[in-house]
């Protein structure tokens, strides 16, 4: 009902808009006449409007007599309003990547009746609402990876009765709402790199029986009874579908195990015990030995990857998304290559557009120089599990077409400066499980489009200032399981990370100012497994952690010192207990007398520890009362002063300075309500001034 009404309203609006446009005369500019380059590619018009600074589309249109693909990536379309695309009803593909897009008002896509593919990846979208995709009745392909998706309305895809490919990897989904796929004929689903702990059968899996590929890697799967349905379902579909790795993160005893290699008993001892009569006796599990896998039909990787070739949406469904790491390409299946393929490797064209994939995993290579003949225009290069120790600049002369480079699990201890200078298209770089000790800025120079950098399990002790400055697009950074004790100031100032992993290092403390406070867009940071020193130094850090909340700072932080707090959760210890000196001092000054100068003195003492000065209420109340009384007088005094001044200067037409003072005062007032920890009237006023200036 409400649905219908909304649709009608929006349609009316659209009509009205067109009417206005007609009456007004043509006020739109054809993108192809100005601004953009329009080319024909295989009979389809491509309207290339990337990086044109476009922030809305109202005043633009496109040829009305042709179908076209509309490329609008790297513009400034940060918010889409209803009927945004009303002049573009002949679009069949729409590219909106990298627009800083954070809000799509329902109805934004209205009118795009012919659209088959929508790319909204690499933006900042936090959720899909009920009517976000209203009007896209014919859409088959939706790419929304690398956003900040947390909430999806159960009805978000309700009208997408043609949607087959749904790419949602590298978001923040911790669950999928029930019935999300009602009447949606999904065949390809990418959910990698989210926060899923489980996927229920009822309401989710039962609705996607036709899935040919489902990628579930890099989620913190909770291998308990709740995951049984997923396990069974995966076993059931695994003959016909490609599945990513499902690795358990919890419970601890199963951490790191593949779901397919756990038994039902491992997941759910109680259930199996109760069903003893029906299921094989859980003898192996009960003796503590790893239970033998119970599944019967081992799936051969080659059959799966061959199967992939036959999939319906032309096999290139993941074009430009994160490549699936589990597909091992086999050169012998692909057409003969014109270019050479290094002898130690197998090469394949995943699809004609995405270029060559070169797989040299586990080939005992000792140097990149051994890759002979050199592959031409390689796009993905897998060199995992070799014995490479040194990466030289000269090795990378002809690899500028790479989008993915996997150097994980080698013995790399040196990467020459500027090695990657030409890899400007590289988006994924894996350097995990190597022997790197130091990171410096010249190591990563040139990687201007890199979004994913994996450096876990190295020997990194030192990160030099500016190391990540050459990677403005870096979104995910993995530095866990290294030997880090500190980070340089401003290390994150030029990147806007969404995921950062620093766990299992040697951090005793991390500064807020200049380091953590630069993580303005971080949505997930993992800091566990560091030896936190729970003394006065850590208070600012503790407050930062509390402010971010458990959604962002995942996992517990345990104190390693001092002894009395060993193994306790940082958050469980009160600030007073952690830093008695500090609180004793404050307490003393406030209780000793009503001497104002002393309290400012503590103010300066406090600042290094207390970042936003959240002193406990009981201590603050007397102080604040005092401050309030003082400042009330000051404010009244100022007001009177200003009013009088105004009266005098009214005739002089010089009220600009007065209004300046007024605005200053507003700033001060609001600042005052936020309760900064400063006692004296004069001090406060000073703070107000700097505050208003810095704004
Ligand atoms: C506006 O109208 C004129 C002729 O009336 C036409 O030449 C021009 O292409 C139109 N512009 C747009 C953007 O439709
Ligand atoms: C389980 O899945 C992983 C990842 O796909 C695979 O490497 C492994 O061989 C599978 N185990 C069995 C017993 O099939
Ligand atoms: C490629 O597939 C063929 C069978 O088609 C197989 O014999 C060969 O071992 C495979 N090579 C690799 C590298 O997987
Ligand atoms: C970078 O690429 C240019 C041409 O694209 C080439 O001339 C140059 O030698 C390359 N440099 C390196 C270090 O690969
Ligand atoms: C590489 O660059 C770093 C600065 O980023 C510099 O300290 C180092 O000396 C350089 N190494 C070589 C071999 O030039
Ligand atoms: C405030 O304390 C200082 C010493 O800390 C002292 O010199 C000063 O006289 C005191 N003022 C008042 C008003 O008590």
């Amino acid at each position: 009902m409400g649905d219908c009404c909304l649709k009608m309203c929006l349609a009316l609006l659209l009509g009205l808009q067109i009417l206005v446009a007609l009456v007004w005369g043509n006020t739109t500019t054809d993108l192809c006449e100005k601004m953009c380059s329009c080319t024909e590619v295989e009979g389809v018009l491509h309207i290339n409007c990337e990086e044109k600074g476009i922030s809305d589309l109202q005043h633009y249109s496109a040829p009305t007599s042709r179908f076209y693909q509309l490329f609008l990536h790297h513009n400034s379309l940060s918010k889409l309003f209803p009927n945004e695309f009303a002049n573009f009803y002949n679009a069949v593909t729409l590219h909106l990547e990298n627009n800083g897009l954070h809000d799509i008002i329902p109805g934004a896509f209205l009118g795009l009746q012919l659209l088959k593919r929508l790319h909204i990846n690499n933006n900042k979208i936090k959720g899909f609402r009920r009517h976000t995709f209203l009007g896209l009745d014919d859409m088959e392909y939706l790419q929304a990876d690398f956003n900040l998706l947390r909430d999806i309305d159960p009805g978000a895809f309700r009208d997408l009765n043609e949607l087959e490919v749904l790419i949602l990897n590298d978001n923040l989904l911790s669950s999928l709402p029930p019935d999300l796929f009602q009447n949606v004929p999904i065949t390809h689903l990418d959910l990698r790199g989210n926060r899923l702990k489980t996927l229920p059968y009822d309401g989710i899996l039962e609705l996607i029986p036709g899935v040919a590929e489902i990628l579930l890697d890099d989620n913190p799967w909770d291998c308990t009874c709740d995951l049984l349905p997923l396990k069974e379902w995966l076993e059931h579909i695994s003959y016909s579908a490609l599945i990513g790795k499902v690795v358990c993160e919890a419970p601890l005893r199963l951490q790191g195990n593949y779901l397919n290699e756990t038994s039902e008993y491992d997941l759910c001892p109680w259930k199996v015990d109760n069903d003893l009569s029906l299921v094989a006796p859980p003898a192996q599990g009960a003796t503590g030995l790893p239970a033998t896998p119970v599944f019967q039909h081992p799936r051969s990787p080659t059959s799966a990857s061959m199967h992939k070739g036959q999939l319906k949406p032309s096999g290139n469904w993941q074009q430009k998304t994160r490549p699936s790491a589990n597909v091992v390409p086999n050169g012998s299946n692909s057409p003969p290559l014109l270019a050479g393929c290094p002898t130690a490797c197998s090469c394949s064209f995943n699809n004609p557009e995405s270029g060559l994939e070169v797989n040299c995993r586990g080939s005992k290579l000792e140097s990149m120089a051994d890759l002979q003949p050199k592959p031409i225009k390689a796009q993905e290069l897998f060199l995992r599990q070799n014995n490479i120790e040194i990466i030289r600049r000269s090795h990378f002369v002809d690899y500028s077409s790479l989008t993915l480079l996997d150097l994980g699990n080698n013995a790399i201890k040196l990467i020459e400066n500027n090695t990657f200078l030409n890899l400007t298209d590289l988006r994924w770089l894996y350097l995990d499980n190597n022997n790197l000790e130091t990171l410096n800025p010249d190591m990563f120079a040139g990687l201007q489009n890199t979004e994913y950098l994996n450096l876990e399990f190295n020997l990194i002790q030192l990160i030099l200032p500016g190391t990540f400055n050459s990677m403005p697009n870096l979104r995910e950074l993995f530095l866990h399981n290294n030997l880090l004790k500190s980070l340089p100031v401003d290390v994150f100032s030029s990147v806007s990370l969404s995921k950062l992993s620093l766990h299992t290092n040697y951090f005793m403390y991390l500064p807020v100012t200049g380091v953590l406070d630069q993580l303005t867009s971080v949505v997930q940071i993992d800091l566990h497994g560091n030896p936190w020193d729970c003394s006065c130094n850590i208070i600012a850090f503790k407050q930062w952690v509390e402010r971010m909340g458990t959604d962002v700072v995942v996992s517990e932080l345990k104190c390693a010192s001092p002894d009395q707090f060993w193994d306790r959760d940082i958050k469980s210890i009160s600030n007073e207990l952690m830093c008695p000196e500090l609180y004793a001092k404050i307490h003393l000054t406030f209780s000793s007398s009503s001497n104002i100068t002393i309290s400012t003195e503590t103010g300066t003492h406090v600042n290094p520890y207390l970042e936003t000065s959240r002193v406990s209420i009981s201590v603050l109340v007397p102080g604040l009362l005092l401050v309030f009384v003082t400042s009330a007088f000051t404010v009244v005094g100022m007001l009177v002063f200003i009013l009088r001044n105004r009266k005098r200067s009214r005739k002089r037409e010089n009220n600009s300075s007065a209004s300046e003072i007024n605005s200053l005062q507003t700033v001060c007032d609001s600042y005052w309500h936020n309760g900064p920890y400063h006692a004296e009237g004069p001090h406060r006023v000073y703070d107000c001034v700097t505050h208003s200036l810095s704004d």
Side-chain angles (χ1 to χ4, degrees), residues 65 132 151 181 192 197 256 266 350 371 435 444 467 536 605 675:
S65 56
T132 294
D151 301 308
F181 301 126
R192 285 174 293 171
K197 289 180 173 359
D266 291 335
N350 244 359
L371 289 182
N435 299 330
F444 301 113
T467 288
C536 287
H605 272 298

Side-chain angles (χ1 to χ4, degrees), residues 26-30 33 61:
N26 79 4
T27 53
T28 61
T29 316
D30 191 329
E33 283 172 11
S61 60

Side-chain angles (χ1 to χ4, degrees), residues 243-245 258 260-261 293 295 298-299:
I243 303 159
K245 289 186 211 121
Y258 288 128
N260 61 354
E261 293 175 358
F295 57 104
R299 179 168 59 93

Side-chain angles (χ1 to χ4, degrees), residues 302-334:
T302 29
S303 71
S305 46
M306 281 192 317
H307 201 92
K308 197 192 174 209
Q310 304 157 4
L311 297 176
K312 211 178 145 205
S314 67
N316 68 340
W317 71 287
Q318 278 187 322
Q319 186 196 354
K320 287 198 176 172
T321 78
R322 170 169 165 156
S324 49
N326 57 325
V327 183
V328 180
N330 186 333
S332 53
N333 288 336
S334 42

Side-chain angles (χ1 to χ4, degrees), residues 467-512:
T467 288
F468 306 115
N469 286 6
S470 51
M471 295 186 276
N473 283 307
L474 195 62
R475 298 281 295 270
E476 302 191 17
L477 177 58
F478 299 87
L479 283 165
H480 54 264
N481 293 85
N482 278 291
L483 311 173
L484 288 165
K485 288 183 177 162
S486 63
L487 294 174
V489 169
D490 288 341
V491 68
F492 301 126
S493 62
S494 59
V495 287
S496 45
L497 296 178
S498 63
K499 281 187 191 170
L500 174 61
S501 182
L502 292 171
H503 71 76
T504 326
N505 275 285
Y506 293 124
F507 294 110
M508 298 169 76
Y509 157 79
L510 270 177
V512 174

